[in-house]
CSV table of all heavy atoms in Angstrom, one decimal:
chain,number,residue,atom,x,y,z
A,297,VAL,N,82.6,-29.5,97.4
A,297,VAL,CA,81.4,-28.6,97.5
A,297,VAL,C,80.6,-29.0,98.7
A,297,VAL,O,80.1,-28.1,99.5
A,297,VAL,CB,80.6,-28.8,96.2
A,297,VAL,CG1,79.2,-28.1,96.4
A,297,VAL,CG2,81.3,-28.1,95.1
A,298,ILE,N,80.5,-30.3,99.0
A,298,ILE,CA,79.7,-30.7,100.1
A,298,ILE,C,80.4,-30.3,101.4
A,298,ILE,O,79.7,-29.9,102.4
A,298,ILE,CB,79.5,-32.3,100.1
A,298,ILE,CG1,78.5,-32.6,99.0
A,298,ILE,CG2,79.0,-32.8,101.4
A,298,ILE,CD1,78.3,-34.1,98.7
A,299,LEU,N,81.7,-30.4,101.5
A,299,LEU,CA,82.4,-30.0,102.7
A,299,LEU,C,82.3,-28.5,102.9
A,299,LEU,O,82.2,-28.0,104.1
A,299,LEU,CB,83.9,-30.4,102.6
A,299,LEU,CG,84.1,-32.0,102.8
A,299,LEU,CD1,85.6,-32.3,102.6
A,299,LEU,CD2,83.6,-32.4,104.1
A,300,ILE,N,82.5,-27.7,101.8
A,300,ILE,CA,82.4,-26.3,102.0
A,300,ILE,C,81.0,-25.7,102.2
A,300,ILE,O,80.8,-24.9,103.1
A,300,ILE,CB,83.1,-25.6,100.7
A,300,ILE,CG1,84.6,-26.0,100.7
A,300,ILE,CG2,82.9,-24.1,100.8
A,300,ILE,CD1,85.2,-25.5,99.4
A,301,ALA,N,80.0,-26.2,101.5
A,301,ALA,CA,78.7,-25.7,101.6
A,301,ALA,C,77.7,-26.6,102.3
A,301,ALA,O,76.5,-26.4,102.3
A,301,ALA,CB,78.2,-25.4,100.2
A,302,GLY,N,78.3,-27.6,103.0
A,302,GLY,CA,77.4,-28.6,103.7
A,302,GLY,C,76.4,-28.0,104.7
A,302,GLY,O,75.2,-28.3,104.6
A,303,PRO,N,76.9,-27.2,105.6
A,303,PRO,CA,76.0,-26.7,106.6
A,303,PRO,C,74.9,-25.8,106.0
A,303,PRO,O,73.7,-25.9,106.4
A,303,PRO,CB,76.9,-25.9,107.6
A,303,PRO,CG,78.2,-26.4,107.4
A,303,PRO,CD,78.3,-26.9,106.0
A,304,GLU,N,75.2,-25.0,105.0
A,304,GLU,CA,74.3,-24.1,104.4
A,304,GLU,C,73.2,-25.0,103.6
A,304,GLU,O,72.0,-24.7,103.6
A,304,GLU,CB,74.9,-23.1,103.4
A,304,GLU,CG,75.6,-22.0,104.2
A,304,GLU,CD,77.0,-22.4,104.6
A,304,GLU,OE1,77.5,-23.5,104.2
A,304,GLU,OE2,77.7,-21.6,105.3
A,305,LEU,N,73.7,-26.1,103.0
A,305,LEU,CA,72.8,-26.9,102.3
A,305,LEU,C,71.8,-27.6,103.2
A,305,LEU,O,70.6,-27.6,103.0
A,305,LEU,CB,73.5,-28.0,101.5
A,305,LEU,CG,74.3,-27.5,100.2
A,305,LEU,CD1,75.1,-28.7,99.7
A,305,LEU,CD2,73.3,-27.0,99.2
A,306,MET,N,72.3,-28.1,104.4
A,306,MET,CA,71.4,-28.7,105.3
A,306,MET,C,70.5,-27.7,106.0
A,306,MET,O,69.3,-28.0,106.2
A,306,MET,CB,72.3,-29.4,106.4
A,306,MET,CG,73.1,-30.6,105.9
A,306,MET,SD,72.0,-31.8,105.1
A,306,MET,CE,71.0,-32.3,106.4
A,307,MET,N,70.9,-26.5,106.2
A,307,MET,CA,70.0,-25.5,106.8
A,307,MET,C,68.9,-25.2,105.7
A,307,MET,O,67.8,-25.0,106.1
A,307,MET,CB,70.8,-24.2,107.1
A,307,MET,CG,70.0,-23.2,107.9
A,307,MET,SD,71.0,-21.9,108.6
A,307,MET,CE,72.4,-21.7,107.7
A,308,GLY,N,69.3,-25.1,104.4
A,308,GLY,CA,68.3,-24.9,103.4
A,308,GLY,C,67.3,-26.0,103.3
A,308,GLY,O,66.1,-25.7,103.2
A,309,TYR,N,67.7,-27.2,103.5
A,309,TYR,CA,66.8,-28.3,103.5
A,309,TYR,C,65.8,-28.3,104.7
A,309,TYR,O,64.7,-28.6,104.6
A,309,TYR,CB,67.5,-29.7,103.5
A,309,TYR,CG,68.2,-30.0,102.2
A,309,TYR,CD1,69.5,-30.6,102.2
A,309,TYR,CD2,67.6,-29.7,101.0
A,309,TYR,CE1,70.1,-30.9,101.0
A,309,TYR,CE2,68.2,-30.0,99.8
A,309,TYR,CZ,69.5,-30.6,99.8
A,309,TYR,OH,70.1,-30.8,98.6
A,310,GLU,N,66.4,-27.9,105.8
A,310,GLU,CA,65.6,-27.8,107.0
A,310,GLU,C,64.6,-26.7,106.9
A,310,GLU,O,63.4,-26.8,107.4
A,310,GLU,CB,66.5,-27.6,108.3
A,310,GLU,CG,67.2,-28.8,108.7
A,310,GLU,CD,68.2,-28.5,109.8
A,310,GLU,OE1,68.2,-27.4,110.4
A,310,GLU,OE2,69.0,-29.5,110.2
A,311,LEU,N,65.0,-25.6,106.3
A,311,LEU,CA,64.0,-24.5,106.2
A,311,LEU,C,63.0,-24.8,105.1
A,311,LEU,O,61.8,-24.4,105.3
A,311,LEU,CB,64.8,-23.2,105.7
A,311,LEU,CG,65.6,-22.5,106.8
A,311,LEU,CD1,66.4,-21.4,106.2
A,311,LEU,CD2,64.7,-22.0,107.9
A,312,MET,N,63.3,-25.6,104.1
A,312,MET,CA,62.3,-26.0,103.2
A,312,MET,C,61.3,-27.0,103.9
A,312,MET,O,60.1,-26.9,103.6
A,312,MET,CB,63.0,-26.7,102.0
A,312,MET,CG,63.6,-25.8,101.0
A,312,MET,SD,64.5,-26.5,99.7
A,312,MET,CE,63.5,-27.9,99.2
A,313,ALA,N,61.8,-27.8,104.7
A,313,ALA,CA,60.9,-28.7,105.5
A,313,ALA,C,60.0,-27.9,106.4
A,313,ALA,O,58.8,-28.3,106.5
A,313,ALA,CB,61.7,-29.8,106.2
A,314,LEU,N,60.6,-26.9,107.0
A,314,LEU,CA,59.7,-26.1,107.9
A,314,LEU,C,58.7,-25.3,107.2
A,314,LEU,O,57.5,-25.3,107.6
A,314,LEU,CB,60.7,-25.1,108.6
A,314,LEU,CG,60.1,-24.2,109.6
A,314,LEU,CD1,59.6,-25.0,110.8
A,314,LEU,CD2,61.0,-23.1,110.1
A,315,LEU,N,59.0,-24.8,106.0
A,315,LEU,CA,58.0,-24.2,105.1
A,315,LEU,C,56.9,-25.2,104.7
A,315,LEU,O,55.7,-24.8,104.6
A,315,LEU,CB,58.6,-23.5,103.9
A,315,LEU,CG,59.3,-22.2,104.2
A,315,LEU,CD1,60.0,-21.7,103.0
A,315,LEU,CD2,58.4,-21.2,104.8
Side-chain angles (χ1 to χ4, degrees):
V297 166
I298 290 173
L299 288 176
I300 292 171
E304 287 83 8
L305 289 174
M306 291 307 295
M307 192 169 24
Y309 290 140
E310 288 176 7
L311 288 175
M312 283 174 43
L314 183 65
L315 284 176

